[in-house]
């Protein structure tokens, strides 16, 4: 039987990130200033991000070197395992060969530290003392809290109220790393205070938390950090695909089909872009939740990244900036928009997308846990559901590559609902149609 875990010598750890922009037939449409509606210049971003990240955000260089202090921290968990899912293949009776890149081995259990570490590094190098951010389910907040601890930065996290109440362990993890966690909406920002005065029990949303974190990044020693969506975040995540390429090359495999889940698009881009560079024959499939289907049901238009309208206007597949997704368990996929770079690539028909309902997602996750022993986070379980559907339909030895971008050890309450048959299957269509009437 061929090997189950494909390792990679530490000396083969990627030394550079891959920027797909120069390899595209046309560049993505630029972000616009929310006031003037003119394309943003680098100066517009200076209050939010340090110079190195702004340069990466707007770069058309194909490769960017991973700084040695960042590689040194990456070595705590990288290279991550690439697993051949033999037992899952057998359970499905498929001729397909399924490979899984597993990012759940990071210190916080997801792919998010791949970008949190360089973001903290570049900020610390620029003399920044404090970072603010938002978090939905808590994955990104824990990753940034971990990274800030590595570089002695203070960290303030606005955590969506509903998760703050439901996910006390994520909050503890952030506090353990030294971060300050605020339930959002909070009385500490003008956005939060206004929302609370209208509705004291508002459960919050990622869009509201982003508004609060951006508003709080005003002191001169403070900057803001975003865990997905932006070009520099997608860039940092390409370390996943670069490693997977090396691992597959070492056993003479190339993928026919690459599948990953999409919330803001960063783990999908991180896995897929290095393979998109190589081949126009490989298929790429983004798996998104039916409760928040920005690629398959959204409009490709300029919209705000947050609820209050503080952020630049981004051309993206969007469900409308005030769309509040139902509280499905895949918290990391509950965002109204999709990365502008990934939206552009979808619009160029270089990738496909599929929306997956919640119950099918958890059935896939359960089969994966029982066959491969890894409990996936509910987010990558969407990708696994798509993998299983494709593998069942396969009549040839198709090579499928996917990413389990996080573990589900802190999502057991969601699994409990699944095992007890109490998972909801919300239909967001009427509210999407309504929110899309309010695009700027
Ligand atoms: C944040 C997160 C996501 C969604 O974000 P992307 O930018 O689309 O990758 C998916 N899975 C996990 C485990 C996450 O933490």
């Amino acid at each position: 039987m061929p090997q189950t875990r494909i390792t990679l010598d530490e000396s083969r750890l990627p030394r550079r990130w891959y920027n797909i922009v120069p390899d595209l037939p046309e560049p993505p449409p630029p972000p616009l200033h929310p006031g003037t509606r003119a394309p943003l210049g680098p100066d517009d971003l200076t209050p939010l991000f340090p110079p190195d990240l702004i340069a990466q955000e707007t770069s058309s260089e194909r490769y960017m070197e991973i700084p040695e202090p960042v590689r040194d921290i990456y070595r705590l968990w990288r290279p991550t395992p690439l697993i051949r899912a033999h037992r899952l293949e057998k359970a499905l009776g498929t001729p397909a060969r399924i490979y899984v890149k597993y990012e759940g081995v990071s210190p916080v259990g997801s792919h998010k530290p791949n970008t949190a570490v360089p973001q903290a590094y570049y900020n610390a190098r620029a003399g920044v003392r404090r970072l603010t951010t938002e978090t939905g389910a808590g994955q990104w907040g824990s990753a940034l809290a971990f990274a800030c601890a590595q570089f002695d930065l203070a960290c303030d996290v606005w955590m969506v109220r509903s998760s703050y109440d439901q996910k006390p362990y994520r909050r503890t993890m952030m506090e353990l790393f030294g971060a300050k966690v605020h339930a959002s909406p909070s009385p500490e920002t003008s956005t939060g205070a206004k929302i609370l005065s209208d509705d004291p029990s508002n459960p919050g949303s990622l869009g509201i938390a982003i508004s609060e974190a951006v508003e709080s990044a005003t002191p001169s020693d403070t900057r803001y950090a975003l865990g997905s969506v932006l070009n520099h975040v997608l860039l940092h995540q390409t370390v996943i695909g670069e490693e997977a390429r090396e691992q597959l090359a070492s056993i003479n495999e190339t993928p026919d089909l690459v599948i990953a889940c999409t919330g803001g698009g960063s783990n999908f881009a991180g896995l897929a872009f290095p393979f998109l560079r190589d081949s126009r024959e490989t298929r790429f499939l983004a798996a998104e939740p039916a409760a928040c289907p920005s690629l398959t049901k959204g409009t490709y238009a300029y919209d705000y990244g947050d609820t209050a309208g503080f952020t630049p206007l981004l051309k993206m597949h969007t469900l409308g900036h005030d769309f509040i997704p139902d509280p499905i368990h895949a918290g990391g996929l509950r965002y109204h928009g999709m990365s502008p770079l990934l939206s552009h690539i979808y619009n160029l028909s270089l990738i496909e997308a599929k929306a997956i309902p919640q119950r099918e997602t958890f059935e896939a996750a359960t089969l994966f846990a029982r066959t491969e022993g890894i409990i996936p986070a509910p987010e990558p379980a969407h990708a696994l559901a798509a993998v299983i559907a494709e593998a069942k339909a396969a009549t040839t030895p198709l090579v499928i590559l996917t990413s389990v971008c996080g573990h589900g050890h802190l999502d057991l309450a969601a699994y409990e609902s699944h095992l007890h048959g109490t998972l909801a299957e919300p239909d967001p269509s009427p509210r999407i149609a309504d929110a899309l009437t309010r695009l700027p």
Side-chain angles (χ1 to χ4, degrees):
M1 184 176 259
Q3 126 195 58
T4 295
R5 177 170 172 158
I6 296 96
T7 52
L8 185 68
D9 194 90
E10 214 188 86
S11 65
R12 309 288 301 272
L13 261 184
R15 293 180 177 276
R16 51 194 199 174
W17 293 300
Y18 168 57
N19 177 19
I20 199 170
V21 172
D23 289 334
L24 294 176
E26 49 191 279
L32 305 181
H33 191 282
T36 65
R37 311 237 159 153
L40 279 197
D43 289 350
D44 294 314
L45 295 172
T46 309
L48 287 182
F49 303 112
D52 292 308
L53 290 177
I54 295 173
Q56 291 182 346
E57 186 62 26
T58 50
S59 173
S60 48
E61 256 177 78
R62 183 167 287 117
Y63 295 104
M64 280 170 255
E65 197 184 322
I66 307 177
E68 192 47 42
V70 171
R71 291 183 85 228
D72 190 48
I73 297 176
Y74 276 178
R75 284 190 195 97
L76 288 173
W77 71 96
R78 310 210 68 88
T80 60
L82 181 73
I83 291 155
R84 167 85 186 269
H86 291 295
R87 295 165 197 85
L88 176 63
E89 291 167 15
K90 200 162 156 233
L92 297 171
T94 177
R97 300 198 288 277
I98 302 172
Y99 292 92
V100 178
K101 183 74 168 153
Y102 183 45
E103 293 291 311
V105 293
S106 85
V108 299
S110 76
H111 65 292
K112 295 287 197 321
N114 296 332
T115 183
V117 171
Q119 288 195 45
Y121 167 75
Y122 290 122
N123 273 289
R125 216 170 71 137
V128 171
R129 299 299 306 143
R130 185 171 80 109
L131 288 179
T132 69
T133 198
E134 69 291 327
T135 196
Q139 293 272 20
W140 167 243
S142 352
L144 194 69
F146 154 72
C148 283
Q150 298 290 316
F151 292 102
D152 283 326
L153 295 173
C155 182
D156 279 84
V157 182
W158 271 263
M159 184 174 191
V160 175
R161 171 105 239 168
S162 51
S163 301
Y164 183 91
D165 294 333
Q166 282 162 17
K167 305 216 163 184
Y169 295 132
R170 278 279 163 209
R171 201 171 103 206
T172 304
M173 199 187 281
M174 289 183 256
E175 289 170 352
L176 181 60
F177 287 127
K180 185 149 189 266
V181 185
H182 313 257
S184 167
S186 77
E188 293 141 90
T189 66
S190 63
T191 308
K194 179 171 183 314
I195 291 171
L196 287 175
S197 76
D198 294 344
D199 174 11
S201 60
N202 188 297
S205 74
L206 209 47
I208 295 171
I210 294 176
S211 300
E212 291 201 273
V214 168
E215 192 187 321
S216 315
T218 31
S220 63
D221 67 345
T222 302
R223 291 290 181 277
Y224 166 73
L226 191 64
S228 185
V229 177
L230 297 180
N231 296 356
H232 66 269
V233 179
L234 275 50
L235 173 79
H236 300 152
Q237 292 294 355
T238 59
V239 69
I240 304 172
E242 291 293 329
E243 265 181 29
R245 258 176 95 242
E246 290 279 336
Q247 286 163 311
L248 285 175
S250 76
I251 51 166
N252 296 314
E253 287 275 46
T254 47
D256 300 303
L257 175 58
V258 177
I259 301 180
C261 69
T262 45
S266 74
N267 91 88
F268 178 91
L271 183 72
F273 285 0
F275 293 95
L276 255 168
R277 170 189 55 203
D278 292 342
S279 154
R280 293 282 179 256
E281 275 144 48
T282 308
R283 278 178 62 210
F284 297 88
L285 177 61
E288 63 182 9
C292 194
S294 56
L295 284 173
T296 55
K297 296 278 171 62
T299 298
Y300 187 44
Y302 274 101
D303 196 6
Y304 297 109
D306 67 331
T307 304
F310 291 150
T311 71
L313 288 167
L314 304 172
K315 178 112 189 236
M316 59 184 177
H317 284 269
T318 178
L319 300 169
H321 60 278
D322 61 6
F323 173 73
I324 299 195
D326 284 297
I328 54 164
H329 291 287
L333 307 185
R334 293 178 65 232
Y335 183 60
H336 67 271
M338 183 49 60
S339 146
L341 182 53
L342 201 62
S343 294
H344 175 61
I345 287 172
Y346 181 62
N347 207 49
L348 293 169
S349 302
L350 296 175
I351 64 168
E352 306 160 37
K354 180 181 182 185
I356 298 174
Q358 184 157 248
R359 279 185 217 126
E360 182 184 341
T361 299
F362 276 84
E363 276 157 25
T366 305
L367 178 62
F368 188 73
R370 289 179 185 171
T371 50
E372 297 299 326
I374 293 172
I375 302 171
E379 292 87 356
H382 289 75
L384 291 171
V387 166
I388 288 170
E390 294 282 341
K392 276 185 175 164
T395 52
T396 56
L398 192 72
V399 177
I400 303 177
L401 171 66
T402 192
S403 141
V404 167
C405 57
H407 68 59
H409 297 179
L410 296 180
D411 299 283
L412 293 180
Y415 280 98
E416 189 186 11
S417 301
H418 170 61
L419 294 174
H420 292 157
T422 56
L423 279 182
E425 209 68 271
D427 173 15
S429 327
R431 284 180 304 112
I432 292 173
D434 175 52
L436 284 176
T437 62
R438 287 183 297 279
L439 289 181

